[in-house]
Amino acid sequence: MSRPLRQPREELRQSILDAARGILDREGMEGLSARAIAREIDYTAATIYNVFSSMSDIVMEINRETLAEVALLFSALPKDLSAADRLRALSKSYVCFMQDNPARWNALFGGNRERESFPNWYTGTIEGLKLQLAHLLIEHAGDLDRVRAEKLAEHLFVSVHGALTLGVGRRLDLLTQRDTLDVAMSGVELILNSLTAEAGKL
Amino acid sequence: MSRPLRQPREELRQSILDAARGILDREGMEGLSARAIAREIDYTAATIYNVFSSMSDIVMEINRETLAEVALLFSALPKDLSAADRLRALSKSYVCFMQDNPARWNALFGGNRERESFPNWYTGTIEGLKLQLAHLLIEHAGDLDRVRAEKLAEHLFVSVHGALTLGVGRRLDLLTQRDTLDVAMSGVELILNSLTAEAGKL
DNA sequence: TGAATTATTGAACGCAGTTCATTAACTAGT
DNA sequence: ACTAGTTAATGAACTGCGTTCAATAATTCA
């Protein structure tokens, strides 16, 4: 077996990530292995460990890209909509993105976490998304203190997360005939309703 | 290596399940393997395949027990409480049960589903839990049609599921400082509030 | 006692992540 | 041009996984 031409480190790194991304999107998490990546880029599994120190580091790198895409999604909101409609649009595009990329979802949120601590780009991005949700909620219902807004944003995130977990894991049909987006969006409406109802009472 | 004494099929079956349950509770999903079970009951991995046709069948059998325990939890509600309080008690005991048995949770809801169809005891139990939730919601707010009650029950289940997924997967701290139970219960309160607020408006 | 049946097994297959000593290829110095 | 030193890539191995299967040991029956 002939040794492949040398590649600069950074280039090889990118080849590995490209291959990994491809396999992940094509065959899902269970198809992603060091040997599969090596096969694809015409190297040996051991070579991968000269660049990444573990498989989970590779997955983490893909997660970084995924989170960046999600953050982009969150930042690309039409400015002319009401806060409620922007929240709806946001939720919808998030759910659709994850539903269209189930393997990315599994890489990001599947299984129990292995790391004790997450890098800043990870925690920071999620914190940012949460704050953006909270901001939209405050804009939607002005009389809403920061703490409560964040709690509601957390609830929003959690309930959408539940719908996506069940949906992507193909277990939502155990509970309902509705599809993932429908379930997630009715959760959004529930929060919006609860805010307007409360505002009407005061 | 001496061959162990023969055990009647059913007895061996139970030994396997007992060992599996023990390993699962002790070491979690990643510790549960055919060889680990065999080690524990002093048989060989191959023997297990004379009794169960796959590892996932064993997990499925444990899931049956888990779901039975959950159903028991749901049926053991104090009758003297209000509907809202019973819903609260239910949610709390469900969340606590799963939080105390994270490996059971992972066995039940972790990873993507492998089976195309689930047995009746599986789908039926979950359907039953949902209907019980819907029933409590109707009792709490009389003017609530069946369809909407079921949708709310689904939302309740989904949002608690989201909290538990994040909590058991040890990812909830990415989103909030609150603990799993707190997050789940505030979701319950949100639903209860939205019902009473709506009732007050009409 | 010998034959048929049954339970259990060791060994293997293909896969996984990961490690490491060896080898091949390139670079710099003389 | 030749050598020494450095780096990149590798094959082979280790452990462990789910699973299969022909062979073996123990039991039952004629």
Side-chain angles (χ1 to χ4, degrees):
Chain A
M1 189 168 286
S2 74
R3 180 177 302 204
L5 286 182
R6 253 188 220 180
Q7 254 183 122
R9 267 291 103 128
E10 186 50 35
E11 208 174 305
L12 177 55
R13 207 186 115 92
Q14 281 310 317
S15 302
I16 292 173
L17 288 178
D18 289 347
R21 211 180 305 111
I23 294 168
L24 187 64
D25 289 342
R26 205 167 347 103
E27 308 172 38
M29 261 291 158
E30 60 279 358
L32 183 62
S33 72
R35 287 172 172 88
I37 295 175
R39 219 175 295 131
E40 191 131 324
I41 63 174
D42 245 341
Y43 274 83
T44 307
T47 297
I48 288 168
Y49 287 85
N50 295 340
V51 185
F52 292 94
S53 63
S54 73
M55 266 296 126
S56 111
D57 279 14
I58 294 179
V59 173
M60 208 59 170
E61 219 48 45
I62 294 181
N63 287 344
R64 170 193 256 141
E65 298 175 5
T66 304
L67 273 186
E69 288 184 63
V70 169
L72 198 68
L73 225 64
F74 267 53
S75 72
L77 270 187
K79 202 74 168 83
D80 56 331
L81 296 178
S82 70
D85 279 342
R86 267 176 291 157
L87 194 69
R88 289 188 185 98
L90 211 61
S91 307
K92 183 173 176 180
S93 65
Y94 178 71
V95 171
C96 288
F97 175 83
M98 289 307 186
Q99 228 178 349
D100 289 344
N101 302 277
R104 303 289 185 99
W105 169 267
N106 286 328
L108 198 51
F109 291 122
N112 292 17
R113 80 144 117 173
E114 64 297 347
R115 291 178 155 68
E116 262 333 294
S117 71
F118 284 109
N120 279 341
W121 57 260
Y122 201 119
T123 56
T125 303
I126 292 184
E127 179 74 7
L129 302 184
K130 183 178 93 174
L131 290 182
Q132 195 170 342
L133 291 181
H135 203 267
L136 283 174
L137 288 173
I138 290 175
E139 194 178 333
H140 176 68
D143 57 334
L144 191 60
D145 60 294
R146 208 179 180 73
V147 175
R148 191 150 147 60
E150 287 196 17
K151 279 194 181 184
L152 280 176
E154 287 164 8
H155 174 75
L156 181 56
F157 189 95
V158 164
S159 79
V160 168
H161 191 85
L164 271 171
T165 300
L166 288 167
V168 172
R170 309 209 339 276
R171 275 188 254 261
L172 192 61
D173 56 349
L174 290 171
L175 187 68
T176 181
Q177 315 237 17
R178 292 147 78 203
D179 66 11
T180 308
L181 184 61
D182 188 358
V183 170
M185 292 312 289
S186 69
V188 175
E189 294 305 324
L190 186 74
I191 289 189
L192 288 173
N193 279 342
S194 94
L195 277 179
T196 53
E198 210 170 272
K201 249 204 304 195
L202 297 183
Chain B
M1 188 169 290
S2 75
R3 179 177 301 203
L5 287 181
R6 249 188 222 182
Q7 254 184 122
R9 270 289 104 129
E10 186 50 34
E11 207 174 305
L12 177 55
R13 206 186 116 93
Q14 280 310 317
S15 301
I16 291 173
L17 288 178
D18 289 347
R21 212 181 302 110
I23 294 168
L24 187 65
D25 289 342
R26 206 167 348 101
E27 308 173 37
M29 260 291 159
E30 61 280 357
L32 182 61
S33 72
R35 287 172 174 88
I37 295 174
R39 220 175 294 133
E40 192 131 324
I41 63 175
D42 246 343
Y43 274 82
T44 307
T47 298
I48 288 169
Y49 287 86
N50 295 339
V51 184
F52 292 94
S53 63
S54 74
M55 266 295 125
S56 113
D57 278 16
I58 294 179
V59 173
M60 208 58 171
E61 218 48 45
I62 294 181
N63 286 344
R64 170 194 255 139
E65 298 175 6
T66 303
L67 273 186
E69 288 184 63
V70 169
L72 197 68
L73 224 65
F74 268 52
S75 71
L77 271 187
K79 201 73 167 94
D80 56 333
L81 295 179
S82 70
D85 279 343
R86 267 177 290 158
L87 193 69
R88 290 188 183 99
L90 210 60
S91 306
K92 184 173 175 178
S93 64
Y94 178 71
V95 171
C96 288
F97 175 81
M98 288 308 185
Q99 228 177 350
D100 289 344
N101 302 278
R104 304 289 185 99
W105 168 266
N106 285 327
L108 198 50
F109 290 121
N112 292 16
R113 79 143 116 173
E114 64 298 345
R115 290 177 156 66
E116 261 336 292
S117 71
F118 284 109
N120 279 342
W121 57 260
Y122 200 119
T123 57
T125 304
I126 291 184
E127 179 75 7
L129 302 185
K130 182 178 94 173
L131 290 182
Q132 195 172 340
L133 291 182
H135 203 268
L136 282 174
L137 288 173
I138 289 175
E139 194 178 332
H140 175 68
D143 57 335
L144 191 60
D145 60 293
R146 209 179 180 74
V147 174
R148 191 150 149 59
E150 287 197 16
K151 279 194 179 186
L152 279 176
E154 287 165 9
H155 174 77
L156 181 56
F157 189 95
V158 164
S159 79
V160 168
H161 190 86
L164 271 171
T165 300
L166 287 168
V168 172
R170 310 209 336 276
R171 275 189 252 261
L172 192 60
D173 56 348
L174 289 171
L175 187 68
T176 181
Q177 316 237 16
R178 295 146 76 201
D179 66 12
T180 309
L181 184 61
D182 189 356
V183 171
M185 292 312 289
S186 68
V188 175
E189 293 305 324
L190 186 74
I191 288 188
L192 288 174
N193 279 341
S194 93
L195 277 178
T196 52
E198 209 170 273
K201 249 204 304 194
L202 297 183

